[in-house]
Amino acid sequence: MSSSVTPPSRGPDGTPPRPSRRRFFGTAAVALAAGGAAGYGVRTATAAGTGGAVATGSTTASGGATTDRSASTVPFYGARQAGITTGQQERLMFASLDMTSTDPRDLRLLLGRWAAMAARFTSGQTVSSSPDKPEQPPFDSGEVLDSGPYSLTITVGLGASLFDQRFGLAGRMPAALAPLGTIPGDAVLQPELTGGDLCIQACADDPQVVFHAIRNMVRAARGTAVLRWSQLGFGRASATGAGQSTPRNLFGFKDGTNNIHADDVSATSDHVWVGRKTDQAWMRGGSYLVARKIRMEIESWDTDELSDQEKIFGRTKVRGDPLTGGTEFTPIAFDKADADGTPVIDPASHVRLASPEENGGVRILRRGYNYTDGQDPQTGKLAAGLFFIAYQRNPHLQFKVLQARLGSSDLMNEYIAHIGGGIWACPPGVAEAGDWFAKSLFTPV
Amino acid sequence: MFTLRRDRARRSAATTGLLAAGALLLSGCAAKSVATGSPSGPAASGVASSAVASSAGASSSVAAPAGAAASGAAASGAGSSSPGSSAATPGGPASVAITITDAKGCIASPDTVVAGAVTFTVKNIDATGITELELLSDQRILGERENLTPGFDSTFSVTVDGGSYQIYCPGGATEKIPFTVTGQAADVATGSTATLLQTATVHYSTYVDNQIEFLIPPVQELVTAIKAGDLAAAQAAYARARPFYERIEPVAESFPDLDSAIDLRIGDVEAGTAWTGFHPIEKGLFVTKSTRGLEGLAADLLTDVKNLQVKAKALSQATTAKTGKGYQPFEIANGASGLLDEVLKSKITGEEEAYSRIDLLDFQANVEGSLQAFATLQPALDQIDPTLVPTISSKFDALVAVLDTYRDAKALGGWTPYPELTAADKKKLTDALLAVQEPLSAVSAKITR
């Protein structure tokens, strides 16, 4: 699965990561260093298992002031789709599409075309090598012609709605993909920002690269499928590799300190990848994506006092250590109480409700991004928040369990609202050219 | 908007007369000859030399427009459905297997056949960058297949005479390979794609002339109603006139001064320039709700429309006379696509008819004009790729079907006033529109200049 070459990881006793290359840059220029680190991690912690060619990537300029991440690539072909346990890149564009054609052949062709395009884009190529014809619109939209792949990954998923009567797939839907039903906190989910027959997650270390990928794949779908909704994410809000620093969400807190890391093979095989025991063989080696567009009530949050903000999270704001003490990576002492018997970590704090300890060991791989859509013209407030993405083996046993508790009790609910999202089955990887996304779904059992 | 028009006009002026689309005239008339599959029209020259037969797999037998030799439309077989037997029976059609690989480009086996019907089976193994394949003869496309995604097979058939051909896989390691046909095919007629395209330009010019002819009476009525101070009659005449102009707008745009004079919106009028044409009249009739002061504008509009008629006729004559200065086939294709672009830019946004709110009437007219322009090209396109026309036509049908749900006989112009559409309605229309525009925008490249 993961490449054997791994970035510096946490010590066996759970101590914080050893200083890594990036941390040397980091002391001087925090933002710059964090960026460089992500690119480095991506090349080493690849999701695909082919061990295939990894382009020589970043070259650190003498003096270490800049890092060229443009040429970094993540292998596209492999047993698993990249973009799940791949070290998280800095930028996201996510798209949900609905099929307009009801011809199964169109669906297969689309998944094949997307696979071919994804193979090219992730290696830094454009839509086609064909010479453009003067009398015809260019094959590629062109906005990344002078760019590189910037560790682009493209991950494709299939929604439950695809398994209706239209394409003859009704009998092939995995039970794990069944709609989650209403979960507390879903009250304001907007249908136009929710669901979709297909999804594409494009992640890279450059915003234009992810936009280009989605734009051209949506274009290729015209006449077969249409864009239902989409989201641009501007800042990594999770760490998926032990070598990655814990990023901050728009509330200013470190998010994802205890996230599953890509190099933790037992955690990914236990919690992320669909294994042999599945009702649908075509999903073996795949994973289920749950997305939630979570609006943050930024203006309200900004008027909440620091102690309350920290109580809501259960961690300190600046350092990210648990309120029970230690450093960011110190295990949280959930049992610890004040002299008067009050738990130090509030029973309704975010960190407690989301913790594996309080949820029978349930874990998910988070891969969220901060987002903003500018200003909400209706209210005048900032339209911003967290585009939450989680991967898991079974959303009913993982995301739903966590979100049911968070949605009903989380202190943070006063400051957030789930306004969109969905659940998709991400099939195993595209093995080689000629294979395509979910090909085995379409072959006779 | 205006900027774009000017750019377009410049572009067209550089090539020759511009182009655009036409429309199906409800009242019939001469425009009919342009309608889909006119039996005595383009195909009269008989069986085409590159007649395209259909083929394997899931053939969606959408009838090709009359005259085209094709009786069905080939579909590219997808996934597991492999094409049928390729055994070359003596006297039967020859079979050629084309294999596309990333390393070598395309390879044809055999690369020499005897004249007659040939069925090509195309298999893309792993060339992610190659999505199409063409059979060329002197730069002319005789047969073509698109969507050659790795892992999918495709098939097409052509009837070829003896000679040297090329198989072209753009983007491949070897882009062009020679293909030889020996002997002479029986019953090969001379009707060529070029002939069909020339016929298309003549048909299209007739269509444009008709639309302008039909535009003049309602503009005349507008002048009369305004002069008489009859607001209701003037509003009705305005709505009657608009579609004739909107169906052929790209042609009008090829005369930049006229198009500005006739159809400029207030936001596009440069400071110090007079605002003339349809839209100041529209504002008077629907906002001020008075005919007062509009007499001069209406009279000028009539003059400009008549001027447009004269210029368009000159284009038509040049087209018929084959002087090379008339409508060009690729311009018709561009115009068809350009009309849809009009819709996307100024109709779907509700900007075009800001006062009368009859945007959907213009919308429908643009679509109809696009459809008619495309229809004139169909017989020729059917020779190039028999899947092309059915694919695009079905998308046009879907668009028209969505549009039709907004007909409202009681409303001015016969369509739901634009402000009554919801965001979801507009998304539905946009989606249907894009589904047509994307494949349509690639059509002109299939037509030899």
Side-chain angles (χ1 to χ4, degrees):
Chain A
M1 177 186 342
S2 280
S3 156
S4 58
V5 186
T6 53
S9 60
R10 294 177 68 180
D13 55 352
T15 53
R18 296 189 306 273
S20 61
R21 275 162 47 91
R22 64 189 173 78
R23 301 230 163 165
F24 291 117
F25 309 137
T27 51
V30 173
L32 188 66
Y40 189 75
V42 163
R43 287 196 326 285
T44 50
T46 56
T50 56
V54 178
T56 50
S58 61
T59 52
T60 305
S62 58
T66 57
T67 301
D68 175 16
R69 295 178 292 159
S70 65
S72 294
T73 57
V74 178
F76 172 71
Y77 295 115
R80 306 193 192 287
Q81 286 201 62
I84 299 176
T85 54
T86 303
Q88 195 171 335
Q89 305 93 319
E90 298 294 326
R91 304 286 181 156
L92 162 82
M93 187 161 180
F94 187 91
S96 161
L97 295 95
D98 283 333
M99 290 293 294
T100 49
S101 167
T102 53
D103 184 345
R105 191 174 58 93
D106 286 344
L107 174 59
R108 295 195 298 267
L109 272 171
L110 179 63
L111 293 168
R113 184 87 191 95
W114 277 358
M117 292 175 91
R120 293 179 63 83
F121 292 163
T122 54
S123 63
Q125 297 172 278
T126 52
V127 165
S128 171
S129 304
S130 304
D132 282 323
K133 301 175 187 174
E135 318 86 344
Q136 184 175 309
F139 291 108
D140 189 282
S141 55
E143 70 269 32
V144 296
L145 282 175
D146 308 312
S147 181
Y150 279 99
S151 302
L152 175 69
T153 56
I154 290 165
T155 314
V156 167
L158 315 177
S161 53
L162 199 65
F163 295 84
D164 59 10
Q165 300 308 311
R166 287 172 294 171
F167 306 102
L169 299 173
R172 309 294 301 269
M173 187 173 95
L177 187 61
L180 297 175
T182 300
I183 302 174
D186 282 359
V188 294
L189 276 183
Q190 297 166 18
E192 67 273 20
L193 295 177
T194 303
D197 291 336
L198 297 164
C199 79
I200 311 168
Q201 171 198 280
C203 300
D205 287 322
D206 181 89
Q208 200 140 315
V209 166
V210 294
F211 178 82
H212 169 266
I214 297 289
R215 171 187 180 178
N216 285 277
M217 289 170 78
V218 168
R219 178 186 178 187
R222 283 180 197 159
T224 300
V226 298
L227 192 60
R228 181 181 171 92
W229 55 277
S230 65
Q231 186 65 54
L232 203 56
F234 68 81
R236 176 166 68 85
S238 321
T240 56
Q244 289 190 314
S245 62
T246 308
R248 292 180 186 272
N249 60 29
L250 296 184
F251 284 158
F253 277 76
K254 292 196 171 195
D255 207 354
T257 295
N258 285 325
N259 199 18
I260 294 175
H261 287 164
D263 48 331
D264 186 346
V265 174
S266 75
T268 56
S269 58
D270 287 352
H271 302 287
V272 179
W273 303 115
V274 175
R276 300 186 60 80
K277 278 190 269 176
T278 167
D279 55 338
Q280 294 292 347
W282 65 269
M283 267 302 286
R284 277 182 197 144
S287 188
Y288 293 92
L289 184 169
V290 172
R292 284 295 172 112
K293 182 171 184 173
I294 304 174
R295 185 181 71 209
M296 288 177 162
E297 309 298 340
I298 302 271
E299 290 82 355
S300 304
W301 181 261
D302 290 346
T303 62
D304 190 28
E305 66 259 29
L306 178 60
S307 62
D308 194 58
Q309 292 186 356
E310 293 186 334
K311 176 185 165 189
I312 289 170
F313 270 93
R315 290 182 181 275
T316 64
K317 188 162 193 171
V318 175
R319 293 187 312 278
D321 50 318
L323 294 182
T324 49
T327 68
E328 183 193 344
F329 294 97
T330 302
I332 305 168
F334 288 110
D335 298 339
K336 198 168 178 180
D338 286 344
D340 62 358
T342 312
V344 175
I345 304 291
D346 195 282
S349 66
H350 189 71
V351 74
R352 183 189 288 270
L353 292 173
S355 69
E357 292 87 342
E358 302 273 318
N359 290 285
V362 165
R363 298 178 75 188
I364 51 177
L365 173 69
R366 285 192 288 165
R367 212 187 153 79
Y369 286 85
N370 299 323
Y371 79 86
T372 178
D373 298 334
Q375 188 185 26
D376 185 340
Q378 312 287 329
T379 62
K381 300 201 299 181
L382 271 173
L386 172 67
F387 193 74
F388 171 94
I389 295 176
Y391 285 94
Q392 59 239 285
R393 312 179 70 163
N394 188 329
H396 291 264
L397 305 178
Q398 292 169 270
F399 173 78
K400 187 175 179 178
V401 169
L402 294 174
Q403 186 52 32
R405 297 192 74 213
L406 289 167
S408 52
S409 328
D410 190 358
L411 290 173
M412 204 192 294
N413 289 342
E414 192 178 337
Y415 299 97
I416 61 171
H418 286 229
I419 57 175
I423 160 173
W424 290 270
C426 298
V430 174
E432 59 190 352
D435 185 14
W436 30 279
F437 294 112
K439 186 175 186 177
S440 63
L441 167 62
F442 297 90
T443 53
V445 189
Chain B
M1 178 66 174
F2 181 47
T3 312
L4 178 82
R5 287 184 179 175
R6 269 207 301 226
D7 288 346
R8 274 212 192 124
R10 212 175 290 131
R11 200 163 68 188
S12 65
T15 44
T16 22
L18 206 266
L19 185 295
L24 234 233
L25 239 231
L26 314 170
S27 49
C29 305
K32 259 201 162 162
S33 66
V34 152
T36 318
S38 54
S40 61
S45 45
V47 180
S49 61
S50 58
V52 191
S54 124
S55 66
S59 76
S60 56
S61 61
V62 178
S71 60
S76 56
S80 51
S81 67
S82 55
S85 145
S86 58
T89 42
S95 293
V96 175
I98 299 178
T99 309
I100 306 172
T101 61
D102 195 38
K104 294 187 176 167
C106 48
I107 295 171
S109 173
D111 60 6
T112 301
V113 297
V114 178
V118 187
T119 298
F120 293 88
T121 304
V122 188
K123 194 178 187 72
N124 183 346
I125 308 292
D126 63 359
T128 56
I130 298 181
T131 60
E132 62 175 341
L133 176 144
E134 296 168 359
L135 178 67
L136 296 174
S137 168
D138 293 335
Q139 301 298 318
R140 197 154 65 81
I141 303 171
L142 297 182
E144 173 167 4
R145 268 300 169 278
E146 297 192 351
N147 278 320
L148 297 177
T149 297
F152 294 85
D153 301 338
S154 193
T155 300
F156 70 102
S157 300
V158 296
T159 298
V160 284
D161 204 351
S164 295
Y165 296 80
Q166 287 174 311
I167 290 168
Y168 178 44
C169 304
T174 306
E175 288 201 330
K176 279 184 184 165
I177 55 171
F179 186 75
T180 308
V181 180
T182 58
Q184 199 170 25
D187 300 317
V188 170
T190 53
S192 66
T193 309
T195 310
L196 297 180
L197 288 171
Q198 161 64 18
T199 310
T201 58
V202 173
H203 283 203
Y204 189 69
S205 69
T206 308
Y207 175 72
V208 172
D209 288 348
N210 286 334
Q211 292 305 306
I212 300 175
E213 191 185 328
F214 302 141
L215 170 63
I216 290 175
V219 173
Q220 186 82 61
E221 288 165 33
L222 187 64
V223 171
T224 308
I226 286 173
K227 207 178 283 176
D230 187 340
L231 181 65
Q235 288 176 336
Y238 175 82
R240 262 200 304 282
R242 292 293 294 159
F244 298 111
Y245 187 78
E246 289 292 327
R247 286 185 190 120
I248 56 146
E249 192 165 4
V251 177
E253 283 177 5
S254 64
F255 312 114
D257 294 347
L258 273 182
D259 184 49
S260 309
I262 293 172
D263 203 32
L264 218 53
R265 287 173 298 125
I266 184 67
D268 296 324
V269 180
E270 282 175 54
T273 314
W275 186 27
T276 61
F278 275 116
H279 294 301
I281 295 174
E282 181 201 3
K283 189 177 182 189
L285 296 178
F286 295 93
V287 177
T288 317
K289 295 192 193 301
S290 164
T291 58
R292 221 170 307 151
L294 302 179
E295 295 87 350
L297 284 168
D300 287 349
L301 176 63
L302 185 59
T303 305
D304 287 334
V305 167
K306 285 183 171 166
N307 203 349
L308 175 65
Q309 183 173 43
V310 172
K311 293 194 173 190
K313 276 209 170 122
L315 259 184
S316 296
Q317 276 156 13
T319 304
T320 310
K322 302 188 196 180
T323 63
K325 296 191 171 162
Y327 295 99
Q328 302 299 312
F330 74 91
E331 292 178 329
I332 300 181
N334 284 337
S337 181
L339 273 160
L340 296 186
D341 196 47
E342 271 294 314
V343 182
L344 206 58
K345 274 197 78 259
S346 62
K347 274 69 173 189
I348 202 75
T349 55
E351 292 163 8
E352 180 76 30
E353 301 284 357
Y355 315 116
S356 64
R357 307 320 324 219
I358 58 170
D359 303 79
L360 282 182
L361 179 67
D362 287 14
F363 190 132
Q364 198 266 351
N366 284 158
V367 170
E368 202 173 277
S370 176
L371 188 51
Q372 285 306 302
F374 174 64
T376 61
L377 299 171
Q378 287 177 5
L381 293 174
D382 276 324
Q383 289 210 353
I384 294 166
D385 179 351
T387 66
L388 201 63
V389 170
T391 303
I392 297 176
S393 293
S394 69
K395 311 271 189 265
F396 260 122
D397 290 347
L399 172 60
V400 169
V402 175
L403 202 47
D404 276 347
T405 62
Y406 299 101
R407 283 188 189 272
D408 179 358
K410 294 189 296 272
L412 178 72
W415 296 84
T416 304
Y418 206 65
E420 292 177 24
L421 266 59
T422 65
D425 290 328
K426 290 173 195 171
K427 180 184 187 311
K428 236 190 310 179
L429 287 165
T430 300
D431 287 342
L433 195 61
L434 290 175
V436 186
Q437 201 191 12
E438 186 64 32
L440 195 60
S441 66
V443 163
S444 74
K446 302 181 190 309
I447 296 166
T448 314
R449 278 194 198 218

